[in-house]
Amino acid sequence: MKKILFSLLLLIGVSGCTQLNLDTSKVDVQEKEGSFTPNENTLVAHFIDVGQGDANFLELPNGDVMLIDAGIASSGDDIVEYIKDLGYTDIDYVIATHPHADHIGGMSEVIEAFDVGTIYMPKAVSTSKTYENLLETIKEKGKSIHTGREGVEVLNEDNLTIEMLAPVSEDYSNLNDYSIVLKITYGDVSFLYTGDAEETSLSEITKDLSADVLKVGHHGSDTSTTDEFLAKVNPSYAVISVGEGNSYGHPAESTINLLKEYTNSIYRTDLNGTVVICSDGVNIEVETER
Ligand SMILES: [Zn+2]
């Protein structure tokens, strides 16, 4: 029944959380929170389950799509397949929040597989093989890298803005703090993506951090999410991208407890699988794989 409904929605060109149930998708919706009728103006934010790492894909209401991070190297294939299953051959914006292997590992493969538009990376230095491979792939594709830092406007349209809130400084002792922090505002609804930015970087942000949906920093580590930061964000929904049984002990119990002071809508890719959050600019709908 569901599949018929989704095919119908597709036929009339409707996008939304419901796209999850396409035949080719690995995701079968088990849980659902919120409800509205998705239409072509729906923003769809996919928090793809890539184990221990981050991979966030966004279908924007203006028709553009964006990838923020691409998990570890072995996730590259899955991410490419996931995006192709959604029907895309181009990615308008690719953002590598910072050059750690659990964020850029699969990115070379994605850049090779799609026509990519603008690539943003922070001005951080890494000598890792993964990073060097990525730079090589970008060069081979004839693309340049745009520096991601506070104040960069990726999009500034009437009802849709995408702005970078961090990094604010030029130098950090911790590579995580170079993470591009991105705020996406669609109508009345905002999404905040924090990469692995930790307390040092997050505490420097002077711009408005308030957001309805928070992609929790650094896989839920206690070095990223502080009371002070959450008070500024005041999230209604939180998503933690984290691998089951990871050796880092992510997410920290203290982070979960802090988040619970703001919301009970806490989603984890280790428990819920891929999480998809839709918005029409007013309402929010959440679907999870399990
Ligand atoms: Zn990470």
Side-chain angles (χ1 to χ4, degrees), residues 52-54 98 100 102-103 176 195-196 218-219:
Q52 183 66 19
D54 272 19
H98 66 297
H100 270 151
D102 57 327
H103 296 253
N176 285 337
D196 279 355
H218 197 197
H219 321 289

Side-chain angles (χ1 to χ4, degrees), residues 85-249:
D85 282 354
L86 290 171
Y88 295 101
T89 52
D90 299 8
I91 303 176
D92 302 280
Y93 305 99
V94 172
I95 296 178
T97 60
H98 66 297
H100 270 151
D102 57 327
H103 296 253
I104 61 161
M107 201 163 269
S108 290
E109 218 168 320
V110 172
I111 290 172
E112 276 165 11
F114 294 93
D115 274 333
V116 296
T118 315
I119 301 171
Y120 289 99
M121 293 171 82
K123 218 169 196 149
V125 178
S126 166
T127 53
S128 76
K129 192 96 186 100
T130 312
Y131 183 62
E132 281 169 8
N133 283 345
L134 175 58
L135 296 184
E136 192 54 42
T137 305
I138 293 170
K139 207 170 135 193
E140 279 167 12
K141 270 264 184 173
K143 304 296 299 180
S144 55
I145 297 168
H146 295 248
T147 301
R149 56 180 154 69
E150 184 217 20
V152 172
E153 279 184 349
V154 178
L155 262 176
N156 189 354
E157 298 180 356
D158 273 357
N159 213 21
L160 174 69
T161 58
I162 303 182
E163 189 188 6
M164 295 183 189
L165 310 188
V168 173
S169 298
E170 310 251 303
D171 291 298
Y172 295 98
S173 56
N174 182 342
L175 197 58
N176 285 337
D177 281 322
Y178 285 91
S179 289
I180 292 172
V181 174
L182 203 70
K183 184 170 172 177
I184 300 171
T185 305
Y186 176 37
D188 300 334
V189 174
S190 298
F191 292 72
L192 186 68
Y193 290 86
T194 52
D196 279 355
E198 303 205 27
E199 195 178 350
T200 304
S201 163
L202 295 177
S203 64
E204 290 174 341
I205 298 173
T206 52
K207 296 195 186 243
D208 179 17
L209 278 164
S210 63
D212 301 285
V213 180
L214 170 68
K215 199 296 292 178
V216 178
H218 197 197
H219 321 289
S221 143
D222 61 0
T223 52
S224 185
T225 305
T226 64
D227 221 344
E228 193 194 355
F229 173 72
L230 279 183
K232 290 178 188 165
V233 181
N234 195 16
S236 302
Y237 301 84
V239 184
I240 302 172
S241 195
V242 65
E244 193 180 351
N246 69 82
S247 57
Y248 307 98

Side-chain angles (χ1 to χ4, degrees), residues 215-281:
K215 199 296 292 178
V216 178
H218 197 197
H219 321 289
S221 143
D222 61 0
T223 52
S224 185
T225 305
T226 64
D227 221 344
E228 193 194 355
F229 173 72
L230 279 183
K232 290 178 188 165
V233 181
N234 195 16
S236 302
Y237 301 84
V239 184
I240 302 172
S241 195
V242 65
E244 193 180 351
N246 69 82
S247 57
Y248 307 98
H250 295 159
E253 206 184 320
S254 58
T255 301
I256 302 288
N257 289 335
L258 273 178
L259 286 167
K260 279 184 182 163
E261 290 178 24
Y262 294 85
T263 176
N264 280 320
S265 297
I266 301 168
Y267 297 93
R268 299 168 47 163
T269 57
D270 59 339
L271 303 178
N272 301 108
T274 292
V275 177
V276 180
I277 302 187
C278 292
S279 178
D280 58 1

